[in-house]
Coordinates of all heavy atoms in Angstrom, one line a residue:
M30 N 119.6 118.3 90.9 CA 119.7 116.9 91.0 C 118.8 116.2 90.0 O 117.8 115.6 90.3 CB 119.2 116.4 92.4 CG 120.3 116.8 93.4 SD 119.7 116.2 95.0 CE 120.9 115.1 95.5
G31 N 118.9 116.5 88.6 CA 118.1 115.8 87.7 C 116.8 116.4 87.3 O 116.7 116.9 86.2
Y32 N 115.8 116.4 88.2 CA 114.5 116.8 87.9 C 114.2 118.4 88.2 O 113.2 118.9 88.0 CB 113.4 116.0 88.7 CG 113.6 114.5 88.3 CD1 114.3 113.6 89.2 CD2 113.2 114.1 87.0 CE1 114.4 112.3 88.9 CE2 113.4 112.7 86.7 CZ 113.8 111.8 87.7 OH 114.0 110.5 87.3
F33 N 115.2 118.9 89.0 CA 114.9 120.3 89.4 C 115.9 121.3 88.9 O 117.0 121.0 88.5 CB 115.2 120.4 90.9 CG 114.2 119.4 91.7 CD1 114.7 118.2 92.1 CD2 112.9 119.7 91.9 CE1 113.9 117.3 92.9 CE2 112.1 118.8 92.6 CZ 112.6 117.6 93.0
D34 N 115.5 122.6 88.6 CA 116.3 123.6 88.1 C 116.8 124.6 89.2 O 117.2 125.7 89.0 CB 115.8 124.3 86.8 CG 114.5 124.9 87.1 OD1 114.0 125.0 88.3 OD2 113.9 125.4 86.2
I35 N 116.5 124.2 90.5 CA 117.0 125.0 91.6 C 117.8 123.9 92.5 O 117.7 122.7 92.4 CB 115.8 125.5 92.5 CG1 114.9 124.3 92.9 CG2 115.0 126.6 91.7 CD1 113.7 124.7 93.9
P36 N 118.7 124.6 93.4 CA 119.5 123.7 94.3 C 118.5 122.9 95.2 O 117.5 123.3 95.7 CB 120.3 124.7 95.1 CG 120.3 125.9 94.4 CD 119.0 126.0 93.6
V37 N 119.0 121.6 95.3 CA 118.2 120.7 96.1 C 119.1 119.9 97.1 O 120.1 119.5 96.7 CB 117.4 119.6 95.2 CG1 116.7 118.6 96.0 CG2 116.4 120.3 94.3
E38 N 118.6 119.9 98.3 CA 119.4 119.1 99.3 C 118.7 117.9 99.6 O 117.4 117.9 99.9 CB 119.6 120.0 100.5 CG 120.6 119.4 101.6 CD 122.1 119.6 101.1 OE1 122.3 120.6 100.5 OE2 122.8 118.7 101.5
H39 N 119.4 116.8 99.6 CA 118.8 115.4 99.9 C 118.8 115.3 101.3 O 120.0 115.1 101.9 CB 119.4 114.3 99.1 CG 118.6 113.0 99.0 ND1 118.6 112.3 97.9 CD2 117.9 112.5 99.9 CE1 117.9 111.2 98.2 NE2 117.3 111.3 99.4
V40 N 117.8 115.3 102.1 CA 117.8 115.1 103.5 C 117.5 113.7 103.9 O 116.3 113.1 103.5 CB 116.8 116.1 104.3 CG1 116.8 115.9 105.7 CG2 117.2 117.5 103.8
Y41 N 118.4 113.0 104.6 CA 118.2 111.6 105.1 C 117.5 111.6 106.4 O 117.9 112.3 107.4 CB 119.5 110.9 105.0 CG 120.1 110.7 103.6 CD1 121.0 111.6 103.1 CD2 119.7 109.6 102.9 CE1 121.5 111.5 101.9 CE2 120.2 109.5 101.6 CZ 121.1 110.5 101.1 OH 121.6 110.3 99.9
G42 N 116.6 110.7 106.6 CA 115.9 110.5 107.9 C 116.4 109.3 108.7 O 116.0 109.1 109.8
Q43 N 117.4 108.6 108.1 CA 117.8 107.4 108.6 C 118.4 107.5 110.1 O 118.0 106.8 111.0 CB 118.9 106.8 107.8 CG 119.2 105.4 108.1 CD 120.3 104.8 107.2 OE1 121.6 105.0 107.4 NE2 119.9 104.1 106.2
H44 N 119.0 108.6 110.4 CA 119.7 108.7 111.7 C 118.6 109.0 112.8 O 118.8 108.6 114.0 CB 120.7 109.9 111.8 CG 120.1 111.3 111.6 ND1 119.8 111.8 110.4 CD2 119.8 112.2 112.5 CE1 119.4 112.9 110.5 NE2 119.3 113.3 111.8
V45 N 117.5 109.6 112.4 CA 116.3 109.8 113.4 C 115.8 108.4 113.8 O 115.6 108.2 115.0 CB 115.3 110.6 112.8 CG1 114.1 110.7 113.7 CG2 115.8 111.9 112.4
I46 N 115.7 107.6 112.8 CA 115.1 106.2 113.1 C 116.2 105.4 113.9 O 115.8 104.7 114.9 CB 114.8 105.5 111.8 CG1 113.7 106.3 111.0 CG2 114.3 104.1 112.0 CD1 113.6 105.9 109.6
L47 N 117.4 105.5 113.5 CA 118.4 104.8 114.3 C 118.5 105.2 115.7 O 118.5 104.4 116.6 CB 119.8 104.9 113.6 CG 120.0 104.2 112.3 CD1 121.2 104.7 111.5 CD2 120.0 102.7 112.5
D48 N 118.4 106.5 116.0 CA 118.3 107.0 117.3 C 117.2 106.5 118.1 O 117.3 106.2 119.2 CB 118.3 108.6 117.3 CG 119.7 109.2 116.9 OD1 120.6 108.5 116.9 OD2 119.7 110.4 116.7
Y49 N 116.0 106.5 117.4 CA 114.8 106.1 118.1 C 115.0 104.5 118.5 O 114.7 104.2 119.6 CB 113.7 106.1 117.1 CG 112.4 105.5 117.6 CD1 111.6 106.0 118.7 CD2 112.0 104.2 117.1 CE1 110.5 105.4 119.1 CE2 111.0 103.6 117.5 CZ 110.2 104.1 118.6 OH 109.0 103.5 119.1
L50 N 115.5 103.7 117.5 CA 115.7 102.3 117.9 C 116.7 102.2 119.0 O 116.5 101.3 119.9 CB 116.2 101.6 116.6 CG 115.0 101.5 115.6 CD1 115.5 100.9 114.2 CD2 113.9 100.6 116.0
A51 N 117.8 103.0 119.1 CA 118.8 102.9 120.1 C 118.2 103.2 121.5 O 118.6 102.6 122.5 CB 120.0 103.9 119.8
S52 N 117.2 104.1 121.5 CA 116.5 104.5 122.7 C 115.7 103.3 123.3 O 115.3 103.3 124.4 CB 115.7 105.7 122.5 OG 114.4 105.4 121.9
K53 N 115.4 102.4 122.5 CA 114.5 101.3 122.8 C 115.3 100.1 123.4 O 114.8 99.2 123.9 CB 113.7 100.7 121.7 CG 112.6 101.6 121.1 CD 111.7 101.9 122.1 CE 110.7 103.0 121.6 NZ 109.9 103.5 122.7
T54 N 116.7 100.4 123.4 CA 117.7 99.3 123.9 C 117.3 97.8 123.6 O 117.2 97.0 124.5 CB 117.8 99.5 125.4 OG1 116.6 99.4 126.1 CG2 118.6 100.8 125.7
I55 N 117.1 97.7 122.3 CA 116.8 96.3 121.9 C 118.1 95.6 121.6 O 118.8 96.1 120.9 CB 115.8 96.4 120.6 CG1 114.6 97.1 120.9 CG2 115.5 94.9 120.2 CD1 113.9 97.5 119.6
C56 N 118.2 94.4 122.0 CA 119.6 93.7 121.7 C 119.5 93.4 120.2 O 118.5 93.0 119.5 CB 119.5 92.3 122.5 SG 120.9 91.3 122.1
S57 N 120.7 93.6 119.7 CA 120.8 93.4 118.2 C 120.5 92.0 117.8 O 120.1 91.7 116.6 CB 122.1 93.9 117.6 OG 123.1 93.1 118.2
D58 N 120.7 91.0 118.7 CA 120.4 89.5 118.4 C 118.8 89.3 118.2 O 118.4 88.3 117.6 CB 120.8 88.6 119.6 CG 122.4 88.6 119.6 OD1 122.9 89.0 118.7 OD2 122.8 88.1 120.7
D59 N 118.0 90.3 118.7 CA 116.6 90.2 118.6 C 116.0 91.0 117.4 O 114.8 90.9 117.2 CB 115.9 90.8 119.8 CG 116.3 90.0 121.1 OD1 116.6 88.7 121.0 OD2 116.3 90.6 122.2
L60 N 116.9 91.5 116.6 CA 116.5 92.3 115.5 C 116.7 91.6 114.2 O 117.7 90.9 114.1 CB 117.2 93.7 115.5 CG 116.9 94.7 116.4 CD1 117.8 95.9 116.3 CD2 115.4 95.2 116.3
V61 N 116.0 91.9 113.2 CA 116.3 91.6 111.8 C 115.8 92.7 110.9 O 114.7 93.3 111.1 CB 115.7 90.3 111.4 CG1 114.2 90.2 111.5 CG2 116.2 89.8 110.0
V62 N 116.7 93.2 110.0 CA 116.3 94.2 109.1 C 115.9 93.6 107.9 O 116.5 92.6 107.3 CB 117.5 95.2 108.9 CG1 117.1 96.2 107.8 CG2 117.8 96.0 110.2
V63 N 114.7 94.0 107.2 CA 114.2 93.4 106.2 C 114.0 94.3 105.0 O 113.4 95.5 105.1 CB 112.7 92.7 106.4 CG1 112.2 92.0 105.3 CG2 112.8 91.9 107.7
S64 N 114.5 93.8 103.9 CA 114.2 94.6 102.6 C 112.9 94.1 102.0 O 112.8 92.9 101.7 CB 115.3 94.4 101.5 OG 115.0 95.1 100.4
P65 N 111.9 94.9 101.7 CA 110.6 94.5 101.2 C 110.7 94.1 99.7 O 109.7 93.5 99.2 CB 109.7 95.7 101.5 CG 110.6 96.8 101.4 CD 111.9 96.5 102.0
D66 N 111.8 94.3 99.1 CA 112.0 93.9 97.7 C 113.5 93.7 97.3 O 114.2 94.3 98.1 CB 111.2 94.7 96.6 CG 111.5 96.1 96.7 OD1 112.7 96.4 97.0 OD2 110.6 96.9 96.1
I67 N 113.7 93.1 96.2 CA 115.0 92.9 95.9 C 115.8 94.2 95.6 O 117.0 94.3 95.9 CB 115.1 91.9 94.6 CG1 114.6 90.6 94.9 CG2 116.6 91.8 94.0 CD1 115.4 89.8 96.0
G68 N 115.1 95.1 95.1 CA 115.7 96.3 94.7 C 116.2 97.2 95.9 O 117.0 98.1 95.8
G69 N 115.7 96.8 97.1 CA 116.1 97.6 98.3 C 117.2 96.9 99.2 O 117.4 97.4 100.3
V70 N 117.7 95.8 98.6 CA 118.7 95.0 99.5 C 119.9 95.8 100.0 O 120.2 95.8 101.1 CB 119.1 93.9 98.7 CG1 120.2 93.1 99.5 CG2 118.0 92.9 98.5
A71 N 120.5 96.6 99.1 CA 121.8 97.4 99.5 C 121.3 98.4 100.6 O 122.1 98.6 101.5 CB 122.3 98.1 98.3
R72 N 120.2 99.0 100.4 CA 119.7 100.0 101.4 C 119.5 99.4 102.7 O 120.0 99.9 103.8 CB 118.4 100.7 100.9 CG 117.8 101.8 101.8 CD 116.5 102.4 101.3 NE 116.6 102.6 99.8 CZ 116.0 101.9 98.9 NH1 115.2 100.9 99.2 NH2 116.1 102.3 97.6
A73 N 118.7 98.2 102.7 CA 118.5 97.6 104.0 C 119.7 97.1 104.7 O 119.8 97.1 105.9 CB 117.5 96.5 103.7
R74 N 120.6 96.6 103.9 CA 121.9 96.0 104.4 C 122.7 97.2 105.0 O 123.3 96.9 106.1 CB 122.6 95.4 103.2 CG 123.9 94.6 103.6 CD 124.5 93.9 102.5 NE 125.7 93.2 102.9 CZ 126.9 93.8 102.9 NH1 127.2 95.1 102.5 NH2 128.0 93.1 103.3
A75 N 122.8 98.3 104.4 CA 123.5 99.4 105.0 C 122.9 99.8 106.3 O 123.6 100.2 107.3 CB 123.5 100.5 104.0
F76 N 121.6 99.8 106.4 CA 120.9 100.1 107.7 C 121.1 99.0 108.7 O 121.5 99.5 109.9 CB 119.4 100.2 107.4 CG 118.5 100.7 108.4 CD1 118.2 102.1 108.4 CD2 118.0 99.9 109.4 CE1 117.4 102.5 109.4 CE2 117.3 100.4 110.4 CZ 117.0 101.8 110.5
A77 N 121.2 97.8 108.3 CA 121.5 96.7 109.2 C 122.9 96.9 109.9 O 123.1 96.7 111.0 CB 121.3 95.4 108.6
K78 N 123.8 97.3 108.9 CA 125.2 97.4 109.5 C 125.2 98.6 110.4 O 125.9 98.4 111.5 CB 126.1 97.7 108.3 CG 126.5 96.5 107.5 CD 127.3 97.0 106.4 CE 128.7 97.1 106.6 NZ 129.6 97.3 105.6
R79 N 124.5 99.6 110.3 CA 124.4 100.7 111.3 C 123.7 100.3 112.5 O 123.8 101.0 113.6 CB 123.8 102.0 110.7 CG 124.8 102.5 109.7 CD 124.2 103.8 109.2 NE 125.0 104.5 108.2 CZ 125.0 104.2 106.9 NH1 124.0 103.4 106.4 NH2 125.8 104.7 106.0
L80 N 123.0 99.3 112.6 CA 122.2 98.8 113.6 C 122.9 97.6 114.3 O 122.3 96.5 114.4 CB 120.8 98.4 113.2 CG 119.6 98.5 114.2 CD1 119.4 99.9 114.7 CD2 118.3 98.1 113.4
S81 N 124.1 97.8 114.7 CA 124.9 96.8 115.4 C 125.0 95.6 114.5 O 125.1 94.4 115.0 CB 124.4 96.5 116.7 OG 124.3 97.6 117.5
N82 N 125.2 95.8 113.2 CA 125.4 94.7 112.3 C 124.2 93.6 112.5 O 124.5 92.4 112.4 CB 126.7 94.1 112.5 CG 127.4 93.6 111.2 OD1 126.8 94.0 110.1 ND2 128.3 92.7 111.3
A83 N 123.0 94.1 112.6 CA 122.0 93.3 112.6 C 121.8 92.3 111.4 O 122.2 92.7 110.4 CB 120.6 94.0 112.9
P84 N 121.2 91.2 111.6 CA 121.0 90.3 110.4 C 119.9 90.8 109.4 O 119.3 91.7 109.7 CB 120.5 89.0 111.0 CG 119.9 89.3 112.3 CD 120.7 90.4 112.8
L85 N 120.0 90.3 108.2 CA 119.2 90.8 107.1 C 118.4 89.7 106.5 O 118.7 88.6 106.5 CB 120.2 91.2 105.9 CG 119.6 91.8 104.7 CD1 118.9 93.2 104.9 CD2 120.7 92.0 103.6
A86 N 117.1 90.1 106.2 CA 116.1 89.2 105.4 C 115.6 90.0 104.1 O 115.6 91.2 104.2 CB 115.1 88.7 106.4
I87 N 115.2 89.2 103.2 CA 114.7 89.8 102.0 C 113.4 89.2 101.6 O 113.3 88.0 101.6 CB 115.8 89.5 100.9 CG1 117.2 90.2 101.3 CG2 115.3 90.2 99.6 CD1 118.4 89.5 100.5
V88 N 112.4 90.1 101.2 CA 111.2 89.6 100.6 C 111.4 89.5 99.1 O 111.8 90.5 98.5 CB 110.0 90.5 100.9 CG1 108.7 90.1 100.2 CG2 109.8 90.7 102.4
D89 N 111.2 88.3 98.6 CA 111.5 88.1 97.1 C 110.0 87.9 96.4 O 109.3 86.9 96.7 CB 112.2 86.8 97.0 CG 112.4 86.5 95.5 OD1 112.3 87.4 94.6 OD2 112.8 85.3 95.1
K90 N 109.6 89.0 95.8 CA 108.3 88.9 95.2 C 108.5 88.3 93.7 O 109.2 88.8 92.9 CB 107.8 90.4 94.9 CG 107.3 90.9 96.3 CD 106.6 92.3 95.9 CE 107.7 93.3 95.5 NZ 107.2 94.7 95.3
R91 N 107.6 87.4 93.3 CA 107.7 86.8 92.0 C 106.3 86.9 91.4 O 105.3 86.4 92.1 CB 108.2 85.4 92.0 CG 109.6 85.3 92.6 CD 110.6 85.0 91.6 NE 111.9 85.0 92.3 CZ 112.9 84.2 92.0 NH1 112.7 83.3 91.1 NH2 114.1 84.3 92.6
S92 N 106.2 87.2 90.2 CA 105.0 87.0 89.4 C 105.3 86.1 88.2 O 106.1 86.5 87.4 CB 104.4 88.3 88.9 OG 103.1 88.2 88.4
H93 N 104.7 84.9 88.1 CA 105.1 84.0 87.1 C 104.4 84.2 85.8 O 104.8 83.7 84.8 CB 104.8 82.5 87.6 CG 105.6 82.2 88.8 ND1 107.0 82.0 88.7 CD2 105.3 82.0 90.0 CE1 107.5 81.8 89.9 NE2 106.5 81.8 90.8
A94 N 103.4 85.0 85.7 CA 102.8 85.4 84.5 C 102.0 86.7 84.6 O 101.7 87.1 85.6 CB 101.8 84.2 84.1
H95 N 101.8 87.4 83.4 CA 101.1 88.6 83.5 C 99.8 88.4 84.1 O 99.0 87.5 83.7 CB 101.0 89.1 82.0 CG 100.4 90.5 82.0 ND1 101.0 91.6 82.5 CD2 99.2 91.0 81.4 CE1 100.3 92.7 82.3 NE2 99.2 92.3 81.6
N96 N 99.3 89.3 85.0 CA 98.0 89.3 85.6 C 97.8 88.1 86.5 O 96.7 87.8 86.8 CB 96.8 89.3 84.6 CG 96.6 90.7 84.0 OD1 97.1 91.7 84.5 ND2 95.9 90.7 82.9
V97 N 98.9 87.5 86.9 CA 98.9 86.4 88.0 C 99.4 87.0 89.3 O 100.4 87.7 89.3 CB 99.7 85.2 87.6 CG1 99.8 84.2 88.7 CG2 99.1 84.7 86.3
A98 N 98.7 86.7 90.4 CA 99.1 87.2 91.7 C 100.5 86.9 92.0 O 101.0 85.8 91.7 CB 98.2 86.8 92.8
E99 N 101.2 87.9 92.7 CA 102.6 87.6 93.0 C 102.7 86.6 94.2 O 101.9 86.4 95.0 CB 103.2 89.0 93.6 CG 103.4 90.0 92.6 CD 103.7 91.4 93.3 OE1 103.3 91.6 94.4 OE2 104.3 92.3 92.6
V100 N 103.8 85.8 94.1 CA 104.2 84.9 95.1 C 105.3 85.6 95.9 O 106.2 86.0 95.3 CB 104.6 83.6 94.5 CG1 105.2 82.6 95.6 CG2 103.5 83.0 93.7
M101 N 105.1 85.5 97.1 CA 106.1 86.2 98.1 C 106.9 85.2 98.9 O 106.2 84.4 99.6 CB 105.5 87.3 98.9 CG 104.7 88.3 98.1 SD 104.0 89.6 99.1 CE 105.4 90.5 99.7
N102 N 108.2 85.2 98.8 CA 109.0 84.2 99.5 C 109.9 85.1 100.4 O 110.4 86.3 100.1 CB 109.9 83.4 98.6 CG 109.0 82.6 97.6 OD1 108.3 81.7 98.2 ND2 109.2 82.8 96.4
L103 N 110.3 84.5 101.6 CA 111.2 85.2 102.4 C 112.6 84.5 102.4 O 112.6 83.3 102.6 CB 110.7 85.2 103.9 CG 111.4 85.9 104.9 CD1 111.3 87.5 104.6 CD2 110.9 85.7 106.3
I104 N 113.6 85.4 102.2 CA 115.0 84.8 102.2 C 115.5 85.3 103.6 O 115.5 86.5 103.9 CB 115.9 85.3 101.1 CG1 115.2 85.0 99.8 CG2 117.2 84.9 101.2 CD1 115.8 85.7 98.6
G105 N 115.9 84.4 104.5 CA 116.4 84.8 105.8 C 115.4 84.3 106.9 O 114.3 83.9 106.6
D106 N 115.8 84.6 108.2 CA 115.0 84.1 109.4 C 114.5 85.2 110.1 O 115.2 86.1 110.5 CB 116.0 83.2 110.1 CG 115.3 82.6 111.4 OD1 113.9 82.5 111.2 OD2 115.9 82.2 112.2
V107 N 113.2 85.3 110.3 CA 112.6 86.4 111.1 C 111.9 85.9 112.4 O 111.4 86.6 113.2 CB 111.6 87.3 110.4 CG1 112.4 87.9 109.1 CG2 110.4 86.4 109.9
K108 N 111.8 84.5 112.5 CA 111.1 83.8 113.5 C 111.5 84.4 114.9 O 112.7 84.3 115.4 CB 111.2 82.4 113.5 CG 110.2 81.6 114.2 CD 110.4 80.1 114.0 CE 109.3 79.3 114.7 NZ 107.9 79.6 114.3
G109 N 110.5 84.8 115.7 CA 110.8 85.5 117.0 C 111.5 86.7 117.1 O 111.9 87.1 118.2
K110 N 111.7 87.3 116.0 CA 112.6 88.5 116.0 C 111.7 89.7 115.8 O 110.6 89.7 115.2 CB 113.6 88.5 115.0 CG 114.6 87.4 115.2 CD 115.9 87.5 114.4 CE 116.9 86.5 114.8 NZ 118.1 87.0 115.0
I111 N 112.2 90.9 116.1 CA 111.6 92.2 115.8 C 112.1 92.5 114.5 O 113.3 92.8 114.2 CB 111.9 93.3 116.8 CG1 111.5 92.8 118.3 CG2 111.5 94.7 116.4 CD1 112.0 93.8 119.4
A112 N 111.2 92.6 113.5 CA 111.6 92.8 112.1 C 111.4 94.3 111.7 O 110.3 94.9 112.0 CB 110.7 92.0 111.1
I113 N 112.4 94.9 111.1 CA 112.4 96.4 110.8 C 112.5 96.4 109.3 O 113.6 96.1 108.6 CB 113.5 97.1 111.5 CG1 113.3 97.0 112.9 CG2 113.4 98.6 111.0 CD1 114.5 97.6 113.7
M114 N 111.4 96.7 108.6 CA 111.4 96.9 107.1 C 111.9 98.2 106.7 O 111.4 99.3 107.3 CB 110.0 96.6 106.5 CG 109.9 95.2 106.0 SD 108.5 94.9 105.0 CE 107.2 95.3 106.1
V115 N 112.8 98.3 105.8 CA 113.4 99.5 105.3 C 113.1 99.8 103.8 O 113.4 98.8 103.0 CB 114.9 99.6 105.5 CG1 115.6 100.8 105.0 CG2 115.2 99.4 107.0
D116 N 112.5 100.8 103.5 CA 112.3 101.1 102.0 C 112.5 102.5 101.8 O 112.5 103.4 102.6 CB 110.9 100.5 101.6 CG 110.7 100.2 100.2 OD1 111.7 100.5 99.4 OD2 109.7 99.6 99.8
D117 N 112.6 102.9 100.5 CA 112.9 104.4 100.2 C 111.6 105.1 100.0 O 111.6 106.3 100.2 CB 113.8 104.4 98.9 CG 113.0 103.7 97.8 OD1 112.1 102.9 97.9 OD2 113.5 104.1 96.5
M118 N 110.5 104.5 99.8 CA 109.1 105.2 99.6 C 108.1 104.4 99.7 O 108.1 103.2 99.6 CB 109.2 106.0 98.2 CG 109.3 104.9 97.1 SD 109.0 105.7 95.5 CE 107.2 105.5 95.4
I119 N 106.8 105.0 99.9 CA 105.6 104.3 100.1 C 104.7 105.1 99.1 O 104.6 106.4 99.1 CB 105.0 104.3 101.5 CG1 105.8 103.3 102.3 CG2 103.6 103.9 101.3 CD1 105.4 103.3 103.7
D120 N 104.1 104.3 98.2 CA 103.1 104.9 97.2 C 101.7 104.4 97.6 O 100.9 105.0 98.3 CB 103.5 104.7 95.8 CG 102.6 105.3 94.7 OD1 101.8 106.1 95.1 OD2 102.8 105.0 93.6
T121 N 101.5 103.2 97.0 CA 100.2 102.5 97.3 C 100.2 101.9 98.7 O 99.2 101.4 99.3 CB 99.8 101.5 96.4 OG1 100.8 100.5 96.3 CG2 99.7 102.1 95.0
A122 N 101.5 101.7 99.3 CA 101.8 100.9 100.5 C 101.5 99.4 100.3 O 101.6 98.6 101.3 CB 100.9 101.4 101.8
G123 N 101.3 98.9 99.0 CA 101.2 97.5 98.7 C 102.5 96.7 99.2 O 102.4 95.7 99.7
T124 N 103.6 97.2 98.7 CA 104.8 96.5 99.0 C 105.1 96.3 100.5 O 105.3 95.2 101.0 CB 106.1 97.3 98.4 OG1 105.9 97.5 97.0 CG2 107.4 96.7 98.7
I125 N 105.0 97.3 101.3 CA 105.3 97.3 102.6 C 104.1 96.5 103.5 O 104.5 95.7 104.4 CB 105.4 98.7 103.3 CG1 106.4 98.7 104.6 CG2 104.3 99.4 103.6 CD1 107.9 99.0 104.1
A126 N 102.9 96.7 103.0 CA 101.7 95.9 103.7 C 101.8 94.5 103.5 O 101.7 93.7 104.3 CB 100.5 96.5 103.3
K127 N 102.1 94.1 102.2 CA 102.3 92.7 101.9 C 103.4 92.0 102.5 O 103.5 90.9 103.0 CB 102.3 92.4 100.4 CG 101.0 92.7 99.6 CD 101.2 92.5 98.1 CE 100.1 93.0 97.4 NZ 100.3 93.0 95.9
G128 N 104.5 92.8 102.7 CA 105.7 92.4 103.3 C 105.5 92.2 104.8 O 105.9 91.1 105.4
A129 N 104.7 93.0 105.4 CA 104.3 92.9 106.8 C 103.5 91.6 107.1 O 103.7 90.9 108.1 CB 103.6 94.1 107.3
V130 N 102.6 91.3 106.1 CA 101.7 90.1 106.3 C 102.7 88.9 106.3 O 102.5 87.9 107.0 CB 100.7 90.0 105.2 CG1 100.0 88.7 105.1 CG2 99.6 91.2 105.4
L131 N 103.6 88.9 105.3 CA 104.5 87.7 105.1 C 105.4 87.6 106.4 O 105.6 86.4 106.9 CB 105.4 87.9 103.9 CG 106.4 86.8 103.6 CD1 105.7 85.5 103.3 CD2 107.3 87.2 102.6
L132 N 105.9 88.6 106.9 CA 106.8 88.5 108.1 C 105.9 88.0 109.3 O 106.5 87.2 110.0 CB 107.3 90.0 108.5 CG 108.2 90.6 107.4 CD1 108.7 91.9 108.0 CD2 109.4 89.7 107.2
H133 N 104.7 88.5 109.3 CA 103.9 87.9 110.4 C 103.6 86.4 110.3 O 103.8 85.7 111.3 CB 102.5 88.7 110.5 CG 101.8 88.4 111.6 ND1 102.1 88.8 112.9 CD2 100.5 87.9 111.8 CE1 101.2 88.5 113.8 NE2 100.2 87.9 113.2
E134 N 103.4 86.0 109.0 CA 103.2 84.6 108.7 C 104.3 83.7 109.2 O 104.3 82.6 109.5 CB 102.8 84.3 107.3 CG 101.4 84.8 106.9 CD 101.1 84.8 105.4 OE1 102.1 84.4 104.7 OE2 100.1 85.1 105.0
E135 N 105.6 84.3 108.9 CA 106.9 83.7 109.2 C 107.3 83.8 110.6 O 108.5 83.4 110.9 CB 107.9 84.3 108.2 CG 107.7 84.0 106.8 CD 107.8 82.6 106.3 OE1 108.6 81.8 107.0 OE2 107.2 82.1 105.3
G136 N 106.4 84.4 111.4 CA 106.8 84.4 112.9 C 107.5 85.6 113.3 O 108.0 85.6 114.5
G137 N 107.7 86.6 112.6 CA 108.3 87.8 112.9 C 107.4 88.7 113.7 O 106.3 88.6 113.9
Ligands
PRP229 O1 104.0 101.6 98.1 P1 104.1 100.9 96.8 O2 103.1 101.3 95.8 O3 104.2 99.4 96.9 O4 105.5 101.5 96.2 C1 106.6 101.7 96.9 C2 107.6 100.6 96.3 O5 107.9 101.0 94.9 C3 109.3 101.0 94.6 O6 109.8 99.8 94.3 P2 109.6 99.2 92.8 O7 108.3 98.5 92.7 O8 109.9 100.3 91.9 O9 110.7 98.1 92.8 P3 112.4 98.3 92.9 O10 112.7 99.2 94.1 O11 112.8 96.9 93.2 O12 112.7 98.8 91.6 C4 109.8 101.5 96.0 O13 111.3 101.1 96.1 C5 109.0 100.8 97.0 O14 109.5 99.5 97.4

């Protein structure tokens, strides 16, 4: 698969998380799935569809100039909801942590 010269199987963990959330019997009206950046929208949307078609919200990070702090805006409504952020990887955890702060500020 690109970077390897041996056979590689891509193992998805999504069904484990979906089973866990199903075990919590949370009404889908109380959920919102959040993409922590624009690049993850398709992934988060696919996850939301599998979660009883839960609504979607998106964190839009913008930096208006080099070395200027990012401005984070939320597209969608998380107020009073259980927000589930979906991303493909964590490195420094900056993306997911800043996203969580924003969701909290927005009432999620
Ligand atoms: O834990 P962190 O250090 O924040 O890194 C993880 C983030 O980096 C990647 O996104 P990227 O910044 O490449 O943006 P993209 O997915 O929109 O291309 C990845 O999709 C995560 O969102």
